Every structure is written in structure tokens, then in C-alpha cells.
Amino acid sequence: MPIFTPGRRWQPAYSPFKKETFGRVLLENVEYLIKGPLFGCRMCGNCLLQETAFICPMECPKGLRNGPCGGSTPEYCYVDKTRPCIWYKIYERSFKMGREEDLLEVLPPLDWDKVGTETWGDVFDQVKKMGTGKVAGGLLFKPAKERYKVWDEVFRNVREPGWWQGDDKYHAPAYPEPVSELERRLKAGEFVVACEIAPPLSMSTKKLIENINLVKPYVTAINFTDNASATPRMTSWACSKFAIENGAEPVMQIAARDRTRASLQSEILGATAMGVRNVLCVTGDSPILAPKPRGRMEINDLDAIQMIWILRRMRDEGHYLDGREIKFPPKFFLGAAASPFASDPKFQAIREHKKVNAGAQFFQTNLVYDPDRMEIWLNELAKRDIFGKVYIMIGITPLKSAKMTHFMTEVPGVFVPKSIVERMDAADAKGGAQEEGVKIALEIIEKIRGKQGINGLHIMPVGWEDIVPRIVTEAGLIGQIEMNAMPV
Ligand code: SF4
């Protein structure tokens, strides 16, 4: 363990002065010396190595403990291109070892009391609790299957504390009737359209309200991003409130990057009390994408999957993370982001599967420009039998210019085929880029509509909100207009 971490205000006591038993100090040092070089251990004190193919995930700059972010690539970590994505490495090795199904267990956030300490003491305590003789006998003399069971019982209890109880099972929502119009329509089998409106950069809400009223007749719900690109704008819950006041249904996005476990829980109670009924959990872009001076770059308190797990339990089990009962639990339709083109479709499918198990009821995907290649990801999802447990809305962003197209090719988790880049370059040279961009978007929508497991679209116009009515109309999704004339 480092003597001290530069820039961190709170430092654990320098180890010689720590009030710990000699045995614990010894274990700590031995663990650091052995696990550091072997597994890249960062002494998080909440060891997960059993579930991560013996590679410590704490090297991930976002501190993710449940799989890769939407910007993961086989080549490098998008936050720090000098190193590989550690989660890509974990997935790759898990597949090689035949341990990929272990990646489905929903792993807990850090218990910060333990950070910087060893985990072996907890393992020994657990062995004592189960009976040292029983554990030793089970590991030494039982057949392989039994041996694995004993081993797993020891480590599962260490990594899954009583306040978390994560598992690898599907948890269906524990309420019968839809809680939002978005959920009702998806459940009814409609091909649903949502769109995104960029929150204002100032306190003026004039343009925001104009945009809400512009797109409202054409979409079922409107997303408000939560400081996309780690760049501050009006908060998502405030925009959601303006949407409700103007007769539209919001999807409140909430990014783990800017939340602690306490603020997540308090915000969800406040937002649902104000009438928000759709919540989309994302991990959030890294501050590396933000304007300078940069904020905290090291670790998130939670990842998106942990957020989903906490929120589902608040809603369906009626308690806070710390176990206190919630007398009137919040109601919401719970969503997550999905990324068909990040890392590897096989890897992403595990990550999406885990989100569904944790409680995600709908996905809104990253931008799709290649529906044929997206099919590989869909096939992986089909193998995992998650269609029917989650509604999938595909992300569409109409391209406006050749410059924007080239920019998109650089966005982590987005794939733009060469043919589209060439079409946009040629159209831009003739002054017809916007028309070509709309044409491409309509072609993609046409292809997407027939595919397995797709339940709708999520249009992200990136400030080009005026184009939403045209796209919805020309895509033949005009039926939405009459339905949306009903009060929400
Ligand atoms: S690409 Fe994302 S998941 Fe992978 S190490 Fe970097 S921040 Fe973590």
C-alpha cells in the first residue's frame, strides 16, 4: 500500500502508526508484495480477483468493478491511451479460462473502511466461520465439483457483504402495472420513439421549452443528458421537471461519474416525488473529455450496474443501501445504456446481460451507423436469452456535415463505416451534407425496424432538434403523433 496518495485529502494512517494487530499488518504487507506483481493488485481491500480472471480491475481509471465502459476498445483505454483497457483484458482472459459466466455476478462498490487493507484476514475469518476442518476437508478430499462449491462459498461471502448480496440471477421488476407512458407503450408492443434534448447552457429555459414543445407530438419520451462529455449544463432533473410541466414525459439520465451512493439515493427520491418516472443510468464520460481545468480523474464511487442494483432494490425491496426501510418507495421504469460497438460484441453482451439481471428494463444504445454489424451484437444477446426481459431502443444521430462525420469516427464506442464517411464527404463538397445525413438516418431506421429484439428508436439530434419531426414523419412513424396527442 502506498504511504500516501498525492492529491488525496483524506489519507489513511501511515501503516506503522495504524492501530492494527501485528498479524494484520504482516498480512497486509505480504498481500501487497505477492498480489501486486501477480495480479496488479491495488489494495482496494474489497478483493474481486476470483470473479475477474485474477486481474485486478482497480486499474480502470473510472474505477469500474462490473465490466467495461461503452468506450472500451481492444487496443487501449480511452481515458489513458498509454495502457490497455483492463476490462478488455479481464474479459479476454475469462473467455480463455472458461470463466466468462463468472462475470455476470453483480459486484459491490468499495467499502471505503477497507481500502488500503488486506483481504486475506477476511478470508481466514470466513474459513473459521464455516469450520476450518470442513473447509480443509472439502478442498482436499472432495471431487472437483464439491471442491469448487466450498471454495466459492468462502470467497462469495467475502466479496458479497450483507449490505450488497449481489448475484448473477435475473431480477424481474416487482410491480404489475407500467409506471410510465414509455413503459406502457413498450409493453403494449408499439415501436416507440424517444429523443434527446440537450439541456441549456444557461439558466434560460426559453429554447428548452420550445424544443420540448417541438418534439413532444412526435415522441413518447424525451431524454435529458446528465453533463454529457463531463461538461456542465442544466441538470437533468430540472429539465425533466420542465418537460413534465409542459406535458411531455422525461427520461432522466443520471451519471455515476457525479454521484456518491448517498446523492444517488436522495436524488432519486426527489426526482420521483416531482413526477419523473423514467430513469436511465449511465457510468458517464470521463473528465478526460471535459474542458480544462479537469476534475477528479481517478475513481467513481459507483458504476452504472451498481446504480441499477441500488435503485431496483430501493423500488422493489423498499430499502436504502444501508438497510433502512423506505416507507413509500420510489416508482420508476429503469433503463441503461448499451454499446453495440464497444470492445467485442461477445463481451458487451455479457455486460448488457448483467445490466438486465441487475434490473435494467430498457436499453438506449450508443449511436448506430452500421445496422448489419449491429446484428452480431444482437445475435450475442439472443444467445443470452435477454430479449423479452429488456426493451431495446437504437440510438440514431443524423449527420449534419463531413466534419461531424469525421468527429464521430473518433468517438469511443461509435463505428462509422467508410461508405458513410465517403457519402458525407461527397455530399458536403456539393453543399448537400444535411440532406445526405437525413437520408442515411432514414436508411438506417428502415434496416433496424425489421431486426430481432428491437423495440424502438432513440434519436439523439445533438442540438439539431428541428430535424426530429421530419425524421419521425419520413420514417413512417407518424402514427405516434395521434397517440401522443393523448395526455401523458
Ligand atoms: S476503457 Fe473504460 S472500462 Fe476500459 S479501462 Fe478505460 S475507463 Fe476502464
Side-chain angles (χ1 to χ4, degrees):
M1 71 256 52
I3 295 173
F4 99 113
T5 312
R8 197 162 127 191
R9 288 181 189 202
W10 176 81
Q11 301 284 340
Y14 177 46
S15 54
F17 303 127
K18 243 190 203 167
K19 283 194 180 146
E20 279 180 315
T21 61
F22 175 72
R24 284 268 171 179
V25 175
L26 186 70
L27 272 182
E28 223 166 274
N29 284 288
V30 173
E31 183 167 323
Y32 181 54
L33 290 173
I34 294 179
K35 282 169 62 178
L38 276 183
F39 311 121
C41 170
R42 296 292 172 107
M43 294 299 283
C44 74
N46 296 248
C47 188
L48 306 170
L49 284 171
Q50 300 290 325
E51 302 304 290
T52 56
F54 304 101
I55 300 176
C56 177
M58 298 313 296
E59 192 185 305
C60 164
K62 289 185 177 178
L64 303 187
R65 288 167 66 83
N66 277 288
C69 71
S72 159
T73 73
E75 295 84 27
Y76 49 73
C77 162
Y78 90 89
V79 180
D80 176 0
K81 292 189 178 169
T82 63
R83 54 178 158 174
C85 167
I86 200 66
W87 272 105
Y88 191 90
K89 294 281 163 210
I90 290 170
Y91 274 56
E92 202 176 39
R93 192 191 277 179
S94 296
F95 271 87
K96 274 190 198 141
M97 294 170 80
R99 292 175 74 106
E100 64 273 17
E101 296 308 307
D102 289 355
L103 296 166
L104 284 176
E105 185 178 314
V106 180
L107 297 162
L110 293 173
D111 173 352
W112 281 86
D113 276 345
K114 293 183 169 185
V115 172
T117 65
E118 42 67 46
T119 307
W120 285 352
D122 293 347
V123 174
F124 294 142
D125 288 346
Q126 178 61 26
V127 169
K128 263 196 255 163
K129 215 191 274 170
M130 288 166 62
T132 311
K134 191 182 138 205
V135 173
L139 291 178
L140 290 173
F141 306 115
K142 297 278 180 188
K145 224 173 164 186
E146 299 273 314
R147 255 197 331 261
Y148 176 75
K149 255 174 100 181
V150 175
W151 178 270
D152 188 56
E153 198 183 333
V154 173
F155 285 98
R156 182 177 297 275
N157 282 300
V158 172
R159 70 175 176 267
E160 292 289 355
W163 50 267
W164 187 255
Q165 301 282 301
D167 59 31
D168 56 4
K169 298 184 178 50
Y170 170 59
H171 298 270
Y175 59 85
E177 296 303 323
V179 295
S180 71
E181 183 62 7
L182 179 64
E183 184 178 15
R184 188 190 71 73
R185 289 182 181 215
L186 285 166
K187 216 170 172 174
E190 287 178 33
F191 190 81
V192 169
V193 183
C195 91
E196 191 174 281
I197 291 182
L201 281 162
S202 74
M203 67 165 279
S204 167
T205 55
K206 190 171 168 281
K207 185 74 185 151
L208 172 74
I209 292 169
E210 274 172 22
N211 281 336
I212 290 171
N213 287 315
L214 171 78
V215 301
K216 187 177 69 177
Y218 298 90
V219 301
T220 300
I222 304 173
N223 279 57
F224 298 100
T225 49
D226 185 13
N227 294 342
S229 304
T231 305
R233 285 173 172 265
M234 186 178 285
T235 183
S236 183
W237 65 255
C239 297
S240 299
K241 186 168 182 290
F242 288 114
I244 295 167
E245 285 173 1
N246 284 275
E249 182 164 292
V251 177
M252 186 181 89
Q253 294 193 194
I254 187 159
R257 179 199 55 234
D258 303 323
R259 301 291 177 303
T260 62
R261 54 202 78 182
S263 66
L264 168 72
Q265 295 171 91
S266 66
E267 246 175 77
I268 207 72
L269 291 178
T272 51
M274 285 186 327
V276 171
R277 288 291 176 268
N278 305 300
V279 176
L280 186 94
C281 295
V282 297
T283 296
D285 297 321
S286 161
I288 195 84
L289 303 178
K292 291 180 184 177
R294 294 220 170 90
R296 188 166 154 261
M297 287 284 294
E298 19 123 52
I299 202 161
N300 295 350
D301 191 29
L302 301 168
D303 59 40
I305 293 180
Q306 289 160 345
M307 285 169 76
I308 295 166
W309 184 259
I310 292 170
L311 295 183
R312 180 189 55 77
R313 294 179 85 197
M314 285 177 79
R315 182 192 67 197
D316 293 350
E317 297 170 20
H319 60 76
Y320 290 99
L321 177 61
D322 57 36
R324 280 175 299 137
E325 185 197 349
I326 305 172
K327 211 165 172 192
F328 299 103
K331 290 190 183 109
F332 47 79
F333 184 41
L334 190 53
S339 208
F341 301 108
S343 63
D344 175 302
K346 266 204 315 273
F347 298 175
Q348 286 306 124
I350 291 187
R351 174 125 165 109
E352 324 314 11
H353 188 178
K354 190 168 180 172
K355 286 183 176 175
V356 172
N357 280 356
Q361 298 164 275
F362 69 99
F363 281 144
Q364 289 180 328
T365 74
N366 209 336
L367 322 185
V368 170
Y369 290 105
D370 188 345
D372 296 329
R373 198 169 144 193
M374 183 186 73
E375 191 95 43
I376 306 171
W377 174 75
L378 287 173
N379 288 337
E380 291 297 330
L381 295 185
K383 282 186 212 156
R384 300 201 149 263
D385 193 27
I386 61 172
F387 296 149
K389 292 177 185 151
V390 67
Y391 303 105
I392 301 177
M393 303 171 77
I394 298 298
I396 299 286
T397 291
L399 296 162
K400 231 178 160 180
S401 63
K403 191 174 165 210
M404 177 185 179
T405 310
H406 285 275
F407 173 78
M408 285 300 178
T409 62
E410 300 293 320
V411 175
V414 175
F415 172 73
V416 188
K418 208 167 151 239
S419 57
I420 289 189
V421 178
E422 286 168 358
R423 275 176 71 180
M424 287 303 294
D425 280 344
D428 208 333
K430 290 184 206 145
Q434 293 197 0
E435 271 310 303
E436 192 66 13
V438 171
K439 211 169 145 206
I440 290 170
L442 291 170
E443 287 168 14
I444 295 170
I445 293 170
E446 183 61 32
K447 280 194 172 175
I448 278 168
R449 286 193 71 178
K451 295 207 186 285
Q452 59 174 340
I454 305 299
N455 306 93
L457 297 181
H458 175 48
I459 305 173
M460 292 174 269
V462 206
W464 194 13
E465 282 84 1
D466 308 9
I467 202 64
V468 173
R470 182 175 162 199
I471 290 184
V472 175
T473 309
E474 291 187 15
L477 300 165
I478 199 78
Q480 301 272 331
I481 296 174
E482 289 127 49
M483 289 169 173
N484 276 322
M486 296 185 300
V488 290

